[in-house]
Amino acid sequence: MRGIMGFFNFGRNKKTALKKRSFIFPMWRVCAIRSVPVKSLFLSIRTFIRRGECNPGPDANEVCGGWEFARCRGAWKRAPGRGHTTIVGADIIRPNKGRMQYAPTLRRTFRVMATVVLATMFGILGELTFAPTAYAGPAANVDFVHRYITQKWGITVPIKTSNIYQAVNVKYTLCAVDKANEILNGAPSATTYCNHQLATNQIIDDLMARDAVDRLVVRDLYPGTGGEGEPFKLTLTGMTAGSQYSFKISASGNFAIDWGDGTPIENITKTDVTNTQYTHTYASAGNYVVGIGGKATGYSAVITDAAISFYNSTSSTKVTAVSGDLGSVFPILTSPVAGQFHSPRFYQTFYTFYGWTGSIPANLFAGLHGAPVSNMFYGTFAGDYPLRGSIPAALFAGISGPPAASMFYQTFYNCTGTSGPIPAGLFAGISGPPANNMFAYTFFSCFSLTGSVPSDLFAGISGPPAASMFYQTFQQCSGLTGSVPSDLFAGISGAPASYMFANTFLGCTSLTGSVPSNLFAGISGAPATYMFQSTFQGCTGLTGSVPAGLFGTFTGAPASSMFYNTFSGCSSLTGSIPPNLFVGISGKPATYMFNGTFQGCIGLTGSIPAGLFGIFTGAPASSMFYNTFDGCTGLTGIEDGIWDLSGVSNASAASMFQYTFRNCSNITSASPSIAAGSTTKLWTQFSAYTPTAGAGPFVGATKLADYASIPAGWK
């Protein structure tokens, strides 16, 4: 109600003719004859209207959904000298060319008294002025109020009566004000003047109607709160004379743009969800704060359409700070415009904001309440490397519901300046079965993030794996420390999905401790392509042995790149490779299936165990064992029967054994045969395969017991 302060205080900032007007607008002002002297009244709480009262007509509640009208019985006549006939007993104000003046009839005589009741209504809101006046403006009608709102704010408030020339009362005017605030700032309205107990049925003149619209219709309903509803603003620094700034909106709704240079506020009524650009030219050089308000009413269903986007906009590099609640302007809707989508997407909204050097506002999405949708925060802050500060803990606090595809895809991608720990509970509201790409690239290359990965970060995710669900989630987050939480993916159970943990921790060089044995315990079934590609690649700080049951229970035919570079470069892993780690995987070989799996794991010791791999049949596949143990200088032996390749046909596939045991310089046992108990060597079984010159499977493995008998092209 703060905006109504001084609504009836005409003692300030008004023209001379208005400076001494009373704050009151009762019937004695509207229904007065100019020649009648008006006395200053200071009255007690008593009946406001004596005798010829203005009461609601019999059809009062049929207009405006309960917006009542007072009906004044008496005679309306034109001001002296304007010559017209008296309209006796008029109930409404009809359009005439002259000023309408009210003369009491013998039937209805008004003796009006201003009351403290009305003073109380507005006195609690501001300073009151009681002053006599002999001036009365023309009584306002419904048409006048609505036309003035349109003229003042550029919006159309629906008329709630069949007769636009009906005399307008306090209640109707305040209801129209509420509706204007709703349209201007979004539904529901933050003002409730219409429901106030003292929103009376007294009619008012045109000046009071104007004043109500001028004072009570406001754009910023929550100024400076720092919470939900705070006006959203962008700070432009170093704009030059004649330079432009632009951005795009693909939502429908009523919006307002304050370009910050003193030019009139741009009011936008957008009925479609096409991607529309709004551009402003600054006449003078300087720094400006752009405010964006209003409320969306519907969104595009196209998953790459951002509700609002500043990406690739004119002068986007001039944006140095962002503040306020963007989510209140573009909220999740329960009842969108027919045929339009209910939820906003912030697809690359702030993508490559290279000038933004501040921090992400904690309340940026405070106005969002509801379930995520696909691509909702896809690349929202991607590439914003100058960003500083921590990720706000409550940034997505209002988002709750089942995961959606790509909902946090690349959200903080390459935000290299964002620091501090990943907040626990950042995605606390997300619960349900995994969705494709849901956390793909989320923190990719955020190497300034520190601290441990919160164990509850994905606590609500439960159900069967989805494709790429954690693809590159923490890749290159080299500042993250501590152990990988054993229950980080505890809710994930079911058959593997392609890329489900591909590159998840790739390059997380500061993670320490052992890989938890139950990290993927719930996953079992037939392998999927790329399912563990580079999952721990380059995690040089991880220590301890590879857990025996790390990969759950896999049974079925191999899949392409299923363990491609899984532990590549994990130089601090120690101990022996557990037997049976991949034993359940049998069938036709797949391309890159064990390419580089243990490459560079120089800390692994002991022998490569029997039964490590399963039984393979059919034609060989390219790069199927490319670099598998390359550079494992700590290994000392190869047990009999590490695999069964007896059913693989003698054919050539590119790089199928290239560098398989390269530089395993401390293995002293004989080279492996094709199966347990077999004396057939690889080069005999696969004579059709000719290794690339200098890239044979045993290059540098000079301590092999049978090294001398290995064909030249194989070593």
Side-chain angles (χ1 to χ4, degrees), residues 341-596:
F341 196 56
H342 71 277
S343 184
R345 291 182 173 91
F346 299 94
Y347 184 94
Q348 297 183 336
T349 292
F350 302 104
Y351 182 60
T352 61
F353 250 35
Y354 295 143
W356 187 2
T357 57
S359 57
I360 299 171
N363 63 335
L364 185 61
F365 301 120
L368 293 178
H369 301 283
V373 294
S374 61
N375 288 38
M376 190 167 195
F377 297 102
Y378 186 118
T380 302
F381 307 102
D384 296 343
Y385 62 82
L387 268 177
R388 296 294 183 267
S390 302
I391 297 171
L395 186 61
F396 307 115
I399 305 299
S400 60
S406 301
M407 59 184 180
F408 291 105
Y409 189 100
Q410 292 187 350
T411 301
F412 303 101
Y413 183 95
N414 206 31
C415 289
T416 58
T418 303
S419 59
I422 297 172
L426 182 62
F427 310 116
I430 309 297
S431 61
N436 294 349
N437 294 292
M438 60 182 182
F439 292 106
Y441 294 97
T442 301
F443 304 102
F444 179 93
S445 199
C446 293
F447 53 70
S448 294
L449 292 176
T450 56
S452 301
V453 177
S455 61
D456 66 347
L457 191 60
F458 309 119
I461 309 297
S462 61
S468 302
M469 58 183 181
F470 294 106
Y471 181 63
Q472 298 189 342
T473 301
F474 305 103
Q475 182 171 336
Q476 304 301 335
C477 290
S478 55
L480 293 177
T481 57
S483 301
V484 177
S486 61
D487 57 350
L488 187 61
F489 308 118
I492 309 297
S493 61
S498 60
Y499 291 94
M500 59 182 181
F501 293 105
N503 297 52
T504 302
F505 301 102
L506 188 153
C508 293
T509 56
S510 297
L511 290 177
T512 57
S514 300
V515 178
S517 60
N518 61 340
L519 188 61
F520 310 117
I523 301 174
S524 61
T529 57
Y530 301 92
M531 59 182 184
F532 290 105
Q533 173 185 289
S534 301
T535 302
F536 303 103
Q537 183 176 352
C539 292
T540 56
L542 293 178
T543 57
S545 302
V546 176
L550 179 62
F551 299 117
T553 305
F554 292 107
T555 57
S560 178
S561 301
M562 57 185 181
F563 292 103
Y564 183 104
N565 286 354
T566 302
F567 300 103
S568 179
C570 292
S571 56
S572 297
L573 290 177
T574 57
S576 300
I577 299 171
N580 304 319
L581 192 61
F582 311 115
V583 71
I585 301 172
S586 299
K588 182 181 178 181
T591 58
Y592 299 95
M593 59 183 185
F594 294 106
N595 189 126

Side-chain angles (χ1 to χ4, degrees), residues 285-296:
N287 302 328
Y288 300 97
V289 177
V290 179
I292 301 171
K295 194 79 69 175

Side-chain angles (χ1 to χ4, degrees), residues 185-187 251-255 294-299 307 328-331 333:
N185 297 287
S252 63
N254 297 288
F255 308 104
K295 194 79 69 175
T297 56
Y299 303 101
S328 283
V329 183
F330 300 98
L333 305 170

Side-chain angles (χ1 to χ4, degrees), residues 1-4 153 177-193 215-233 254 256 292-295 325 328-329:
M1 297 287 286
R2 179 172 60 184
I4 200 172
W153 294 101
V177 164
D178 281 346
K179 190 64 178 177
N181 278 330
E182 178 180 323
I183 294 171
L184 194 61
N185 297 287
S189 175
T191 59
T192 55
Y193 303 133
R215 293 178 184 269
L216 304 185
V217 179
V218 291
R219 180 164 286 104
D220 291 338
L221 299 178
Y222 311 89
T225 62
E228 182 174 342
E230 179 188 8
F232 177 76
K233 297 178 181 179
N254 297 288
I292 301 171
K295 194 79 69 175
D325 179 9
S328 283
V329 183

Side-chain angles (χ1 to χ4, degrees), residues 237-281:
T237 302
M239 296 294 287
T240 58
S243 61
Q244 294 183 326
Y245 182 66
S246 67
F247 59 87
K248 295 178 180 179
I249 295 176
S250 69
S252 63
N254 297 288
F255 308 104
I257 307 171
D258 182 353
W259 295 104
D261 60 351
T263 55
I265 291 172
E266 183 175 350
N267 292 304
I268 299 167
T269 298
K270 195 169 184 293
T271 58
D272 58 55
V273 293
T274 57
N275 217 357
T276 305
Q277 180 166 290
Y278 299 94
T279 304
H280 183 71
T281 301

